Amino acid sequence: MKIIHTIKEIREEVKAARRSGKSIGFVPTMGFLHEGHLSLIKKAREENDFVVVSIFVNPTQFGPEEDLESYPRDLERDSRLSEEAGADVIFNPTAEEMYPEGYSTYVEIEGELTKKLCGISRPGHFKGVTTVVSKLFNIVTPDRAYFGQKDAQQVAVIEQMVRDLNFDVKIVPCPIVREKDGLAMSSRNTYLSKEERKAALILSKTLFKAEEMIKNGERNSTKIRDFIINNIKSEPLANIDYVEIVDAKSLKYLNEIKGDVLIALAVKFGRARLLDNIRLEVK
Amino acid sequence: MKIIHTIKEIREEVKAARRSGKSIGFVPTMGFLHEGHLSLIKKAREENDFVVVSIFVNPTQFGPEEDLESYPRDLERDSRLSEEAGADVIFNPTAEEMYPEGYSTYVEIEGELTKKLCGISRPGHFKGVTTVVSKLFNIVTPDRAYFGQKDAQQVAVIEQMVRDLNFDVKIVPCPIVREKDGLAMSSRNTYLSKEERKAALILSKTLFKAEEMIKNGERNSTKIRDFIINNIKSEPLANIDYVEIVDAKSLKYLNEIKGDVLIALAVKFGRARLLDNIRLEVK
């Protein structure tokens, strides 16, 4: 498996694959891969002839006070894991390669979709995401691109961008992968102390209970949301950023739990801001 | 020659051409074609196997007080002229096809390039341009795209966007085409009364004189600019929007006339806001 650092070279690799009639699957990541990422690579391997994994800690999606510098990195381990999962090539550009001097073009979704949930505490985050994903799509020209459902708002944002800007790419959202005890996998889990790691279990436990309440007939979203908030607050190390119940595609707030429902939350434990969510089809 | 109105169909046409190994040339226009547009189509015909011309009066690049509604349209004549010039297909979508309900993604160049010259009197104009051209590039996936040098700032903006977002498209700027008497061709020339049409000649005449001054050794850009402004002001029907002397790529203001020099102006005659410019390599 090749590791490529320049746009010119990855273009050549992809074009060669295209010329031999291969379909292109793409998994954009920020590296420090875990089982969640690997499930995306495996899925891409199943559905495509040529699989590109990008590893790029994208500066434009981090706020000035965020963890850009300390974000965990391990290219050697990532390469080995990617290859085992079925990647054909890793694209690992530098920040200068992606954003050379004088860089000034941005892709942005205006309106609600990027302003709520993570958009509140991370202004500008999704602008960085849509910009880098646009660039990566133009460079890699995939047939299919794979995103983890843990970042549910990101999936909704990318889908809107692809629809609006007419990217000829099929977006494939993939289910959250969890540790055995339920914690959603995340590169940022490495920030957790032993105590915080244990406390963070409150997130998945609470979401599963909420799911059960809905399965047992509860349809009042305020009741479910209050339950989740109160349950998480019972954990002293948890610091809630948001808990919201929304339509999974439009991210509009739901009063009644009905349709394509997303219950999404962001909660801090120490310096780790963790996301988790459940998505369920409710009749 | 086919006229196609939906994104789905034009994609199929282009993909069929690609499958038979053809290169794709693309000429994006707002229709009401004149010799300037036809020179782009002819150039695309020479350099590519398959030529797509888009005709779309793009609402997002017009300000609220501008001429979106009255912009001249004549699809029948445009089709005939495009075919004669060598187009294989016309893409003529509706505004609803390009911007369906809920549309919310925009491509924008931040910073100087879009803020000066036309950016001052047309705020938001280039955001509309970069957005629609991004969409058209994703739909048509051209190898080469042709733009008229009359819209010199637009060319600089598109080139920056292509570079920044890594579009795999070669931008081909083509020279201004002029009427016999020197007036730069523009669809908006139809707005001119007989008197205004005659008065508008002051633009090209003045630019040609400025060019001569430079060829005779003048390098002081203030002197050249003052000469142009005073000369145009001698025409009572002319209403100057701007006259600027800038680097043709970065659009940075030049004190000394040296390098890749663009002398660009926008002047109103009645309701017609006309652009003209000259670009010259000065040692």
Side-chain angles (χ1 to χ4, degrees):
Chain A
M1 188 199 59
K2 276 190 196 173
I3 302 179
I4 286 176
H5 302 286
T6 69
I7 293 167
K8 189 168 174 289
E9 282 171 278
I10 186 73
R11 271 201 212 285
E12 284 165 9
E13 281 292 318
V14 171
K15 282 185 179 173
R18 278 250 178 264
R19 269 194 301 274
S20 49
K22 290 182 177 172
S23 61
I24 313 289
F26 178 46
V27 183
T29 82
M30 298 212 302
F32 212 73
L33 305 183
H34 52 65
E35 286 294 330
H37 298 109
L38 301 181
S39 75
L40 305 178
I41 301 174
K42 286 171 193 164
K43 180 93 166 155
R45 175 77 280 160
E46 282 168 34
E47 299 185 346
N48 302 275
D49 303 317
F50 190 80
V51 175
V52 180
V53 174
S54 68
I55 295 181
F56 178 58
V57 182
N58 173 38
T60 64
Q61 72 191 68
F62 287 79
E65 306 296 316
E66 291 181 2
D67 57 344
L68 172 62
E69 292 308 318
S70 61
Y71 196 86
R73 292 158 167 92
D74 189 342
L75 183 60
E76 206 178 310
R77 186 172 160 277
D78 288 346
S79 307
R80 185 168 42 77
L81 293 174
S82 297
E83 183 160 23
E84 284 168 17
D88 291 298
V89 57
I90 284 183
F91 176 49
N92 174 233
T94 62
E96 292 67 35
E97 178 77 2
M98 292 294 275
Y99 301 107
E101 180 151 350
Y103 187 93
S104 56
T105 309
Y106 295 89
V107 177
E108 188 167 17
I109 296 187
E110 298 180 0
E112 278 301 273
L113 202 60
T114 55
K115 301 285 180 298
K116 59 212 320 183
L117 309 188
C118 289
I120 296 169
S121 56
R122 304 191 73 187
H125 168 66
F126 289 112
K127 180 177 168 185
V129 170
T130 44
T131 298
V132 79
V133 173
S134 290
K135 286 171 64 68
L136 290 168
F137 281 0
N138 284 341
I139 293 166
V140 177
T141 65
D143 297 291
R144 295 173 201 83
Y146 299 79
F147 292 86
Q149 187 62 40
K150 181 174 72 68
D151 302 309
Q153 188 174 12
Q154 175 171 277
V155 170
V157 163
I158 298 290
E159 284 181 334
Q160 170 93 40
M161 178 190 84
V162 163
R163 210 160 47 235
D164 283 351
L165 293 186
N166 310 106
F167 281 102
D168 196 11
V169 180
K170 184 174 162 52
I171 301 303
V172 185
C174 300
I176 295 178
V177 176
R178 299 181 179 280
E179 305 283 356
K180 274 191 187 137
D181 59 9
L183 182 70
M185 295 220 183
S186 165
S187 307
R188 288 188 171 100
N189 289 349
T190 53
Y191 297 158
L192 296 167
S193 70
K194 224 175 196 176
E195 267 198 310
E196 289 160 355
R197 169 71 183 77
K198 208 173 148 192
L201 286 182
I202 191 74
L203 302 184
S204 53
K205 275 186 186 158
T206 305
L207 285 171
F208 296 154
K209 275 184 201 154
E211 189 171 12
E212 221 175 286
M213 288 166 71
I214 294 167
K215 282 185 177 158
N216 290 336
E218 185 57 67
R219 291 292 177 272
N220 183 322
S221 93
T222 308
K223 276 192 188 160
I224 297 284
R225 184 167 177 266
D226 288 350
F227 163 76
I228 295 172
I229 290 174
N230 290 327
N231 218 46
I232 293 174
K233 276 188 174 163
S234 75
E235 172 48 64
L237 292 176
N239 196 345
I240 295 177
D241 180 355
Y242 68 79
V243 173
E244 298 295 356
I245 302 180
V246 296
D247 176 85
K249 288 204 182 70
S250 68
L251 303 188
K252 282 190 177 137
Y253 297 115
L254 296 178
N255 292 321
E256 194 195 347
I257 296 196
K258 204 181 163 184
D260 188 0
V261 176
L262 175 74
I263 307 183
L265 51 78
V267 177
K268 280 188 179 173
F269 294 85
R271 58 185 283 256
R273 182 176 170 278
L274 303 184
L275 302 183
D276 202 347
N277 68 74
I278 51 172
R279 185 171 172 173
L280 46 170
E281 194 58 45
V282 184
K283 281 178 194 169
Chain B
M1 189 200 57
K2 278 192 195 173
I3 302 179
I4 286 178
H5 302 286
T6 68
I7 293 166
K8 189 168 173 287
E9 282 170 279
I10 186 71
R11 271 201 213 283
E12 283 165 10
E13 281 291 319
V14 171
K15 282 185 179 174
R18 278 249 179 264
R19 269 195 300 274
S20 49
K22 290 181 177 173
S23 61
I24 314 289
F26 178 45
V27 183
T29 83
M30 299 211 302
F32 212 72
L33 305 182
H34 51 65
E35 286 293 333
H37 298 109
L38 301 181
S39 75
L40 306 179
I41 301 174
K42 286 172 191 163
K43 180 92 167 157
R45 176 77 281 162
E46 282 168 34
E47 299 184 346
N48 302 276
D49 304 316
F50 190 79
V51 175
V52 180
V53 174
S54 68
I55 294 181
F56 179 58
V57 182
N58 173 39
T60 64
Q61 72 191 69
F62 286 80
E65 305 295 316
E66 292 181 1
D67 57 345
L68 172 61
E69 291 310 317
S70 62
Y71 196 87
R73 291 157 168 93
D74 188 343
L75 184 60
E76 207 177 310
R77 184 170 161 280
D78 288 346
S79 308
R80 186 167 42 76
L81 293 174
S82 297
E83 184 161 22
E84 285 168 15
D88 290 298
V89 58
I90 284 182
F91 177 49
N92 175 234
T94 62
E96 292 67 36
E97 178 77 1
M98 291 293 275
Y99 301 107
E101 179 150 352
Y103 186 94
S104 55
T105 308
Y106 295 89
V107 177
E108 188 167 16
I109 296 187
E110 298 180 0
E112 279 299 275
L113 203 61
T114 55
K115 300 286 180 297
K116 59 212 319 183
L117 310 187
C118 288
I120 297 169
S121 57
R122 304 191 73 187
H125 168 66
F126 289 112
K127 181 177 167 183
V129 169
T130 44
T131 298
V132 78
V133 172
S134 290
K135 286 171 62 69
L136 290 167
F137 281 1
N138 284 341
I139 293 165
V140 177
T141 65
D143 297 290
R144 295 174 199 83
Y146 299 79
F147 292 85
Q149 186 63 38
K150 180 174 72 67
D151 302 308
Q153 188 174 13
Q154 174 171 278
V155 170
V157 163
I158 297 291
E159 284 181 334
Q160 170 94 40
M161 178 189 83
V162 164
R163 208 159 49 234
D164 282 353
L165 293 187
N166 311 105
F167 280 102
D168 197 11
V169 180
K170 185 177 162 50
I171 302 303
V172 185
C174 300
I176 295 178
V177 176
R178 298 181 180 280
E179 304 283 356
K180 274 193 186 132
D181 60 8
L183 182 69
M185 295 220 181
S186 165
S187 306
R188 287 188 172 99
N189 288 348
T190 53
Y191 296 159
L192 296 167
S193 71
K194 222 174 199 179
E195 265 198 311
E196 289 160 354
R197 169 70 182 76
K198 209 172 149 192
L201 286 183
I202 191 75
L203 304 184
S204 53
K205 274 186 188 161
T206 306
L207 285 172
F208 296 154
K209 274 184 202 155
E211 189 171 11
E212 220 174 287
M213 287 166 73
I214 294 168
K215 282 185 178 158
N216 291 335
E218 184 58 67
R219 291 292 177 271
N220 183 321
S221 94
T222 309
K223 275 193 187 161
I224 297 284
R225 184 169 178 264
D226 287 349
F227 162 76
I228 295 173
I229 290 174
N230 289 328
N231 218 46
I232 293 174
K233 276 189 175 163
S234 75
E235 172 49 64
L237 293 177
N239 196 343
I240 295 178
D241 181 355
Y242 67 78
V243 173
E244 299 295 356
I245 302 180
V246 296
D247 176 85
K249 288 205 182 68
S250 68
L251 303 188
K252 284 191 176 137
Y253 298 116
L254 296 178
N255 292 320
E256 193 194 348
I257 295 194
K258 203 182 164 183
D260 188 0
V261 177
L262 175 72
I263 307 183
L265 51 79
V267 177
K268 280 188 179 173
F269 294 85
R271 57 184 284 255
R273 181 174 170 280
L274 304 185
L275 302 183
D276 202 347
N277 68 75
I278 49 171
R279 183 171 174 174
L280 47 171
E281 194 58 47
V282 184
K283 280 178 193 167

